[in-house]
Amino acid sequence: MSSQMIELTWARWDAFLEGLYERDERLDRREPEQTYARDEAVDAYVLSAHAEALRSAEVEGDVWGTLADIEEEAGNEEEAWGKITAFYLDRGCVLVRVTDAEEPEEWLLEEGLARRLGLLEGAAADRP
C-alpha cells in the first residue's frame, strides 16, 4: 500500500474519537442504535495505546524513544518526527494530521486499524 495521509479539522478529530469505543483492548467504531458502557469511551489517551507513533499536545508521545526503537538519530524533534513518519509510512501506515491544531497533532496508525476505524473510507475530510 502506498503511504497515505488523512487530514482532519479539530472538530472532525473530536467527532472521530467520539465515534469509537474500546472493548477488551479492541478499538472499533460505534454502531447506531447500539449501547456502549461509559468505560468504553475513547479519547486521545485510549487511542494512543493503539497508535504506532504520535506527536500530540494532548498526549505525551515519546518521539525520542520511538526514534531509538527504529534505530535512527536526529538533531532535533522535527527531524526525529520526519524520520519516524517516513519509517512508518514506508511500512504501510497512515498519517492522521489535525490541520487546525495550535500545536502539531499527528498520529501514525497501522493501515488495517485506520481502515477498521473508518479513516480510509472515501475522503476523510468529507465525514463529520
Side-chain angles (χ1 to χ4, degrees), residues 14 19-20 47 58 97 101 104:
D14 279 341
L20 304 177
L47 180 63
E58 282 188 89
R97 178 177 289 153

Side-chain angles (χ1 to χ4, degrees), residues 17-18 20-22 30 36-43 46:
L17 290 176
E18 289 174 10
L20 304 177
Y21 74 98
E22 183 185 54
R30 291 177 182 260
Y36 299 91
R38 182 170 291 152
D39 67 350
E40 293 178 329
V42 172
D43 60 12
V46 173

Side-chain angles (χ1 to χ4, degrees), residues 8-127:
L8 303 172
T9 64
W10 194 258
R12 291 177 195 268
W13 172 250
D14 279 341
F16 165 71
L17 290 176
E18 289 174 10
L20 304 177
Y21 74 98
E22 183 185 54
R23 183 179 295 154
D24 300 325
E25 298 183 20
R26 179 178 165 85
L27 196 60
D28 219 328
R29 293 167 62 180
R30 291 177 182 260
E31 296 294 329
E33 317 238 347
Q34 295 293 320
T35 304
Y36 299 91
R38 182 170 291 152
D39 67 350
E40 293 178 329
V42 172
D43 60 12
Y45 291 100
V46 173
L47 180 63
S48 71
H50 299 272
E52 297 299 320
L54 63 108
R55 182 166 76 155
S56 171
E58 282 188 89
V59 179
E60 182 66 36
D62 185 7
V63 171
W64 294 108
T66 303
L67 189 68
D69 289 346
I70 64 172
E71 300 178 353
E72 288 282 351
E73 295 180 6
N76 60 49
E77 190 169 316
E78 196 66 33
E79 181 185 355
W81 182 249
K83 288 183 176 190
I84 291 166
T85 301
F87 177 87
Y88 283 104
L89 290 178
D90 284 349
R91 285 153 181 80
C93 288
V94 176
L95 175 64
V96 179
R97 178 177 289 153
V98 179
T99 59
D100 57 349
E102 290 181 23
E103 296 181 43
E105 191 71 39
E106 299 178 325
W107 296 69
L108 285 156
L109 303 175
E110 190 272 327
E111 185 268 342
L113 176 63
R115 185 170 309 289
R116 188 173 74 240
L117 301 181
L119 287 169
L120 299 180
E121 296 174 359
D126 293 334
R127 288 192 336 273

